[in-house]
Amino acid sequence: YHFGGILADDMGLGKTLQVIALLTAFYQEKTEQKAAGNEGSGSELPLPSLIVCPASLVYNWGQEFARFSPGIRVLLIAGTAKERQEQLEEQMRMEASEGAQVIITSYDLLKRDREAYLGRTFEYEIIDEAQVIKNAKTQGAKAVKEISANARFALTGTPVENRLSELWSIFDFLMPGFLYTYQRFREEIEIPIVVNGDENRMQRLQRMIRPFILRRLKGEVLRDLPAKLEENVFAKLEGEQLAL
């Protein structure tokens, strides 16, 4: 049905690995269908998928694919503007059977390279650390929402950090219009819940989003872990740091 969803597991429970498993299964199935010569659209080679993440995680994603699914062809978009342009142009020239199945880039580079992505469609668009787009007005949020994809998923351990508008922005990426326009969402759901403590509106929102959020907590999965330990460590500033 081309629905999207949020994978909201606690940090450390393998959101990256779950996505790699999803994409690997998808591309293996399509490749096998093509090899078997099945008729119909199911036998066509699939489009590539796009993963967007913070810049610090681009190479980490590449390493995880190499470790857990080395058979998937991965392209990391990095380097200068000229180098990135050449990478994307080369990808477009290649046959579907030879080009990358998964393209990985950062929010910042997607924003800069947006023209190169417009007019293309991806099988999956997956955004990591999706709280990056919690403000729907930012250029980064607008950039990921401009991408055409058959299905979209968001990974974040914190789908709501401060206000319900952040949840709306992520759903606006996943399934535009599902939580209405922001104005309607604010009037019918956000204000009644936040200002008036309306329990009925809260339950309404929960019913709407529950089918599209998967969330596990460490305590539910790793029961042998001790409770979180917090320790305050004070660092004395000296020299230039203290002066600054």
Side-chain angles (χ1 to χ4, degrees):
Y1 294 103
H2 301 293
F3 287 140
I6 299 176
L7 184 56
D9 286 353
D10 262 354
M11 184 176 68
L13 295 185
K15 293 189 288 293
T16 300
L17 184 55
Q18 291 179 68
V19 168
I20 292 174
L22 166 70
L23 295 177
T24 301
F26 174 80
Y27 285 108
Q28 285 182 348
E29 179 182 345
K30 292 295 184 180
T31 301
E32 290 166 1
Q33 288 177 350
K34 182 67 175 177
N38 295 339
E39 296 297 326
S41 59
S43 64
E44 296 298 320
L45 283 172
L47 300 166
S49 293
L50 178 66
I51 295 175
V52 186
C53 60
S56 60
L57 296 179
V58 169
Y59 288 97
N60 180 70
W61 270 95
Q63 290 170 351
E64 297 294 270
F65 266 102
R67 178 183 178 189
F68 292 108
S69 188
I72 294 294
R73 300 188 300 277
V74 175
L75 173 63
L76 305 182
I77 302 296
T80 65
K82 184 174 182 294
E83 290 170 340
R84 300 195 306 272
Q85 182 180 356
E86 290 173 351
Q87 284 180 303
L88 291 167
E89 289 177 351
E90 177 67 17
Q91 169 70 14
M92 293 183 68
R93 285 194 297 266
M94 297 178 76
E95 297 289 335
S97 60
E98 300 174 351
Q101 294 164 305
V102 177
I103 298 172
I104 303 173
T105 192
S106 70
Y107 288 98
D108 186 51
L109 294 184
L110 178 68
K111 185 172 59 179
R112 299 186 199 180
D113 302 335
R114 57 184 294 277
E115 294 294 334
Y117 292 91
L118 298 182
R120 303 185 60 184
T121 299
F122 295 90
E123 293 288 354
Y124 291 93
E125 183 187 10
I126 296 166
I127 60 172
D128 192 13
E129 301 292 348
Q131 67 274 10
V132 169
I133 69 161
K134 63 185 181 181
N135 183 346
K137 297 179 180 179
T138 63
Q139 292 300 312
K142 293 176 181 177
V144 297
K145 294 176 184 182
E146 287 178 337
I147 299 295
S148 173
N150 293 329
R152 292 170 165 178
F153 289 97
L155 313 183
T156 174
T158 52
V160 179
E161 289 186 320
N162 298 301
R163 50 184 66 86
L164 286 179
S165 60
E166 299 170 3
L167 185 69
W168 179 88
S169 183
I170 296 177
F171 268 91
D172 187 47
F173 160 76
L174 297 173
M175 298 176 288
F178 178 74
L179 288 183
Y180 322 122
T181 63
Y182 178 61
Q183 185 64 30
R184 181 179 172 187
F185 175 81
R186 177 173 167 78
E187 293 173 355
E188 294 188 15
I189 296 178
E190 184 176 18
I191 292 177
I193 290 173
V194 175
V195 178
N196 304 324
D198 192 320
E199 190 64 29
N200 290 331
R201 299 296 174 96
M202 174 65 82
Q203 292 175 0
R204 172 185 169 188
L205 176 61
Q206 290 173 340
R207 285 195 302 269
M208 292 179 73
I209 66 175
R210 187 174 292 123
F212 306 106
I213 297 182
L214 289 174
R215 180 165 174 79
R216 298 178 303 162
L217 304 178
K218 281 187 178 178
E220 300 167 348
V221 181
L222 304 171
R223 301 185 186 280
D224 56 333
L225 282 181
K228 181 172 67 173
L229 301 176
E230 293 188 9
E231 181 180 355
N232 291 324
V233 178
F234 295 93
K236 183 179 179 181
L237 299 180
E238 297 177 347
E240 290 184 23
Q241 291 181 326
L242 180 60
L244 181 62

